[in-house]
Amino acid sequence: MEITSKNSDIIIRNVRDFDTAHIFDCGQCFRWNRTGDNEYTGVAAGRALTISQNGNEITLRDVSERDFRDIWYNYFDLGTDYGAVKARLSRDDIMRLAAGYGGGIRILNQDLWETVVSFIISASNNIPRIKGIIERLCCAYGDEIVYRGKIYRSFPSAKRLSCLERGDLDVIRAGFRDKYIIDAAKKFADGVLSEDALNAMTTAEAKKALMTVSGIGNKVADCILLFGLHRTDAFPVDVWIKRIMEYCYFGGEKQPIEKISRFAEEKFGAELGGYAQQYLFFYARENKIGTD
DNA sequence: CACCAGGCAAGCC
DNA sequence: GGCTTGCATGGT
């Protein structure tokens, strides 16, 4: 992997295990949209970015070297060897298939607060609508970001949302989830929960702490652990994972979620669970496993 | 137009 | 402690 700066772009050559279509469509993030051939534009960490890919060459448009080093390198998890992750997972035949199919997936290092709210919104919802609600939330309460002549909006802070009153979230049409967002905002703004404190905890402790927020249950907590705290031992079991696990590992027979979680823990272990989950989720959704 | 979506909390027994 | 039900809204 070689990183160079050209005009105001950052170019990454000979990148391996990186595919924007896989990364942005494996269900981990909600603020990236296709804006052209092999091109996506999104907002993260208070910055907007257009990224395009041509084979194993990546271009980040109008980005300073400083922002690349301080923000995007880590955001795209460029320091992790996904080839090694896939090699270890591929000792299992099913995982070899899934990891081959979504071979360019990377688990982004996203903002904790944004993942907290995003996955609270995800409960009993579909992905297009989740994206719409989050976009309306940012438009209503995020800060303006000007990038390449267009206006984008940052994800609003916990402090900003914590002082909202009942009804202020009507405009985002989040349904019954609006009260959960406010509850989470108050806990994070007051410091009852904080990233530093959560980072100091074991995964099990952090999960328990997250679940004190109304609207964060078992599954949403696992998503926050994996996507917001980068705990790759977390293995969120949603309807898609449940279906593909039943289909692949249980002869198509229905299983309780708890049993699937235990099976994954034993099979993938603490180090590979989260990665396995992403490859399976992408494979299941792209191939509509279990929907007919 | 039903059905259901990356579930959860509250209310039951 | 396990099981059932209501929840807002809109995508398919």
Side-chain angles (χ1 to χ4, degrees):
Chain A
M1 185 173 77
E2 302 120 41
I3 297 158
T4 56
S5 184
K6 185 183 176 187
N7 300 328
S8 52
D9 299 338
I10 297 287
I11 297 171
I12 311 171
R13 292 197 175 82
N14 295 323
V15 67
R16 298 169 66 181
D17 313 307
F18 190 114
D19 188 321
T20 50
H22 297 172
I23 291 167
F24 298 132
D25 208 16
C26 67
Q28 61 181 323
C29 55
F30 302 100
R31 295 208 70 197
W32 291 89
N33 297 300
R34 184 178 285 277
T35 48
D37 278 352
N38 305 312
E39 182 190 279
Y40 287 80
T41 299
V43 180
R47 302 281 198 282
L49 176 70
T50 292
I51 179 170
S52 59
Q53 176 163 19
N54 206 324
N56 58 3
E57 183 173 312
I58 311 289
T59 303
L60 286 68
R61 307 266 175 218
D62 290 310
V63 174
S64 69
E65 291 184 50
R66 186 199 177 104
D67 274 4
F68 177 73
R69 188 181 65 237
D70 292 350
I71 297 173
W72 301 115
Y73 182 90
N74 181 249
Y75 182 80
F76 287 106
D77 207 26
L78 290 173
T80 296
D81 181 357
Y82 281 76
V85 170
K86 287 188 282 185
R88 291 174 66 191
L89 281 172
S90 294
R91 286 179 288 198
D92 178 76
D93 286 342
I94 290 158
M95 284 312 306
R96 186 170 65 242
L97 180 66
Y101 188 82
I105 289 173
R106 286 176 169 266
I107 299 181
L108 300 170
N109 286 287
Q110 300 185 74
D111 177 71
L112 171 62
W113 170 244
E114 180 173 338
T115 63
V116 166
V117 178
S118 296
F119 284 93
I120 283 174
I121 291 168
S122 78
S124 188
N125 216 337
N126 58 59
I127 291 177
R129 184 161 173 255
I130 296 165
K131 293 179 76 168
I133 293 168
I134 292 170
E135 211 47 47
R136 288 190 290 275
L137 176 66
C138 296
C139 283
Y141 298 108
D143 295 325
E144 193 175 290
I145 299 168
V146 178
Y147 175 70
R148 307 186 85 205
K150 288 187 180 173
I151 294 174
Y152 299 86
R153 291 277 172 176
S154 69
F155 195 91
S157 68
K159 191 176 290 275
R160 178 78 180 92
L161 298 182
S162 68
C163 51
L164 296 183
E165 292 171 15
R166 187 161 174 266
D168 289 340
L169 285 179
D170 287 355
V171 289
I172 73 171
R173 305 199 296 280
F176 58 86
R177 306 163 191 86
D178 53 7
K179 53 188 175 294
Y180 302 151
I181 297 170
I182 304 281
D183 180 43
K186 288 189 193 310
K187 287 196 168 73
F188 274 85
D190 293 350
V192 176
L193 289 171
S194 74
E195 181 156 16
D196 287 345
L198 290 166
N199 277 330
M201 298 179 194
T202 65
T203 299
E205 289 166 348
K207 181 170 181 174
K208 196 175 168 188
L210 286 166
M211 287 175 68
T212 62
V213 176
S214 193
I216 300 181
N218 180 62
K219 187 266 171 184
V220 170
D222 280 337
C223 286
I224 296 166
L225 289 169
L226 180 57
F227 305 126
L229 292 168
H230 215 76
R231 299 293 177 106
T232 53
D233 49 338
F235 187 90
V237 180
D238 65 6
V239 289
W240 290 99
I241 291 296
K242 185 171 184 294
R243 281 196 290 246
I244 193 170
M245 291 289 282
E246 288 164 349
Y247 181 79
C248 292
Y249 294 108
F250 294 94
E253 289 187 26
K254 296 284 181 196
Q255 301 294 325
I257 288 171
E258 175 55 30
K259 193 165 180 182
I260 293 173
S261 296
R262 261 186 285 123
F263 180 87
E265 194 176 337
E266 288 166 19
K267 187 153 200 69
F268 307 122
E271 291 161 43
L272 296 171
Y275 299 105
Q277 196 270 2
Q278 283 297 275
Y279 293 123
L280 287 169
F281 181 86
F282 183 74
Y283 186 87
R285 249 174 62 85
E286 295 290 311
N287 294 287
K288 303 190 189 310
I289 297 293
T291 55
D292 37 58

